[in-house]
Amino acid sequence: MNAPATTELPVVVIGAGPAGLAAAAHLLDQGIEPLVLEAGQKAGAAVREWAHVRLFSTWGEVVDPAAEKLLAPTGWTRPDPDTYPSGGDWAEQYLQPLADVLGDRVRLGATVTGVSRTGRDRIVDADREQQPFVVHLAHADGREERVFARSVIDASGTWATPSPSGGSGLPALGERAAAGRITYRVPDLKDPAVRARYAGKRTAVIGSGASAFTALAYLADLAKAQDGAGTKGVWILRRGISGSTFGGGEADQLPARGALGLAAKAAVDAGHADAVTGFRTEAVERDTDGRLVLVGEDGRRLDAVDELIVLTGFRPDLSFLNELRLGLDERLQAPVALAPLIDPNQHSCGTVYPHGHRELSHPEQGVYLVGMKSYGRAPTFLAMTGYEQVRSVAAAIAGDLASADRVELTLPETGVCGGAGLFDAPSAQEADGGGCCAPAPQLVQLGAPTAVGAAAEEAPAGGCCGS
């Protein structure tokens, strides 16, 4: 079957999450038909998997303007812009209504298995850019299909590909064998079955970002509950402790994000969690009772734990894009022009230089990675970044380069700035002005035990060493 003329084809959007659905709204605003392919059975399938977690952005920051314009005729009204939705709120009150408005432009249970140029693998140059894209997909019932597209926007995110516990970027030895005791998501401790799994147990949390802060705060709340006596967290940090360990705190321009770090600090200060610093996991072994023993690259063996929560970030799945000519940074797996703006080896500030279709483009013209996937392995992505990305990309596809190039976005700073900080030698001073806590690998308890406030905003102010 011959593919139809490229200009008659839709733009295929991979993923019906926040960025993907916003992309569809912006495409429609430009007069272009989108076709959204979602592997899950509902819109926002990935978001629904962390429905219990509250966002640190307000409703005013997580609703795309073009999407709101599309929803307005249905009588939809945005929730109070100053309140904070949970993942479940976001999915049910915004993403699902938006998918409903898009109607049959959103196809559920459609997993993209490959993207290429029609009749051209990645080797062939001849007449390449004149060929439409061909997208192969598999349905839940096993049926396979192909669709053609004038352009492809990959907004599939990184949720399905979490990073492992191993300090070298590979799964630790024994990690796969211990899969029954490991989760790579923040557990929902309001679920009775999940709560029973962690109540009264010793749980290690590996990670140093907002997800790790959240997990530590949840475990601390469980430890204080009547059914949680004996619950203990062990926070595994690959770095040393410094003033930036707990995030920007009150200096964070997103107050709820800063509060997460303060809640984690409160959990440690109150004795609900111990912090193990400078530890890079090499192996996950079992003791005689079947509990997990973490072994570090330096040979240290930690006391056994019952459960392990690995929150070391995510990485993009690029396997189904293998026949496309992508220009990706060799470290972050982000578009080469975007990578220097978000590289945590170079900076840790929350503010990212405004970027759009030019920074997101590839040697393969007409294909874009947007949303969380555009960041590759880099952290600190915000929904508002994705919305501005897809606005610019949709305008570029429509040929409105003046609008596409007019990228104006100021992101709130994290309150943590100061250069590189992904890898610290045990004796190194922190680049962010730290040094008040010795970063040598050791088991530490920070400050004197204090009561943890009921709300994250009430946790003690940041800094370091119990300041």
Side-chain angles (χ1 to χ4, degrees):
M1 183 182 88
N2 293 326
T6 302
T7 54
E8 301 173 5
L9 295 172
V11 172
V12 163
V13 179
I14 305 174
L21 292 175
H26 282 279
L27 289 166
L28 283 174
D29 199 42
Q30 292 285 351
I32 299 173
E33 276 295 312
L35 175 60
V36 182
L37 302 176
E38 167 58 48
Q41 296 303 314
K42 289 186 176 182
V47 174
R48 293 173 189 276
E49 293 193 25
W50 49 271
H52 57 291
V53 177
R54 192 160 298 282
L55 279 72
F56 50 67
S57 295
T58 64
W59 271 113
E61 296 160 331
V62 298
V63 172
D64 175 78
E68 187 169 12
K69 177 181 175 182
L70 197 62
L71 284 164
T74 70
W76 183 88
T77 55
R78 182 172 60 184
D80 183 346
D82 296 324
T83 61
Y84 296 89
S86 66
D89 296 334
W90 203 17
E92 287 296 334
Q93 299 178 42
Y94 168 63
L95 299 178
Q96 189 60 56
L98 180 54
D100 291 342
V101 169
L102 291 167
D104 58 9
R105 297 183 179 98
V106 178
R107 296 174 61 178
L108 303 174
T111 301
V112 173
T113 58
V115 183
S116 187
R117 290 280 190 179
T118 303
R120 307 288 188 273
D121 63 21
R122 66 183 296 158
I123 299 174
V124 179
D125 290 332
D127 203 29
R128 184 178 188 87
E129 292 182 4
Q130 281 65 54
Q131 304 306 312
F133 292 94
V134 59
V135 180
H136 284 212
L137 54 137
H139 296 274
D141 60 5
R143 180 171 52 91
E144 293 182 308
E145 185 184 358
R146 68 175 179 175
V147 296
F148 298 99
R150 63 185 289 185
S151 187
V152 175
I153 299 175
D154 183 357
S156 59
T158 57
W159 177 256
T161 46
S163 296
S165 70
S168 301
L170 302 172
L173 301 178
E175 183 170 346
R176 293 188 179 93
R181 296 284 188 92
I182 303 175
T183 184
Y184 298 86
R185 309 287 191 264
V186 176
D188 181 3
L189 297 185
K190 292 183 180 179
D191 181 314
V194 176
R195 191 174 183 86
R197 175 175 173 176
Y198 295 96
K201 304 292 180 58
R202 180 177 169 87
T203 299
V205 178
I206 302 179
S208 59
S211 294
F213 295 160
T214 302
L216 289 165
Y218 283 6
L219 290 172
D221 287 342
L222 178 57
K224 293 180 288 183
Q226 190 171 11
D227 62 341
T231 303
K232 183 75 173 185
V234 181
W235 188 16
I236 311 298
L237 291 150
R238 294 171 179 172
R239 303 176 58 183
I241 294 288
S242 78
S244 67
T245 296
F246 299 97
E250 294 176 347
D252 195 318
Q253 291 180 3
L254 287 178
R257 181 173 59 187
L260 289 175
L262 299 182
K265 183 178 186 297
V268 175
D269 286 348
H272 298 306
D274 293 322
V276 178
T277 64
F279 190 92
R280 294 179 175 270
T281 308
E282 183 175 81
V284 180
E285 299 180 353
R286 301 271 189 152
D287 67 6
T288 55
D289 296 323
R291 302 173 79 206
L292 304 182
V293 176
L294 302 184
V295 182
E297 292 178 352
D298 57 4
R300 280 183 295 158
R301 300 172 65 86
L302 302 185
D303 291 341
V305 297
D306 300 289
E307 298 286 342
L308 176 59
I309 302 174
V310 179
L311 301 169
T312 53
F314 296 86
R315 51 188 60 179
D317 176 9
L318 301 167
S319 60
F320 60 87
L321 303 176
N322 198 43
E323 291 305 318
L324 297 177
R325 298 175 176 180
L326 302 181
L328 297 174
D329 178 76
E330 68 275 9
R331 292 167 297 177
L332 297 185
Q333 297 177 295
V336 290
L338 176 61
L341 310 181
I342 60 175
D343 188 351
N345 286 291
Q346 304 301 325
H347 63 83
S348 58
C349 299
T351 298
V352 176
Y353 186 82
H355 63 277
H357 74 108
R358 296 194 185 278
E359 290 82 3
L360 298 170
S361 64
H362 295 273
E364 193 79 71
Q365 293 185 24
V367 61
Y368 301 92
L369 276 59
V370 302
M372 188 65 226
K373 192 162 187 176
S374 71
Y375 268 40
R377 299 192 183 199
T380 321
F381 185 83
L382 296 174
M384 63 184 83
T385 302
Y387 296 157
E388 180 61 13
Q389 287 179 340
V390 298
R391 185 207 62 78
S392 174
V393 165
I397 293 173
D400 185 357
L401 293 184
S403 176
D405 288 336
R406 191 174 60 251
V407 179
E408 299 177 1
L409 177 66
T410 301
L411 296 178
E413 293 189 7
T414 62
V416 178
C417 283
L422 285 184
F423 192 96
D424 293 299
S427 60
Q429 294 292 318
E430 293 289 346
D432 58 8
C436 64
C437 297
Q442 57 183 311
L443 181 68
V444 297
Q445 181 157 322
L446 306 183
T450 58
V452 183
E457 288 79 6
E458 297 173 4
C464 73
C465 297
S467 59

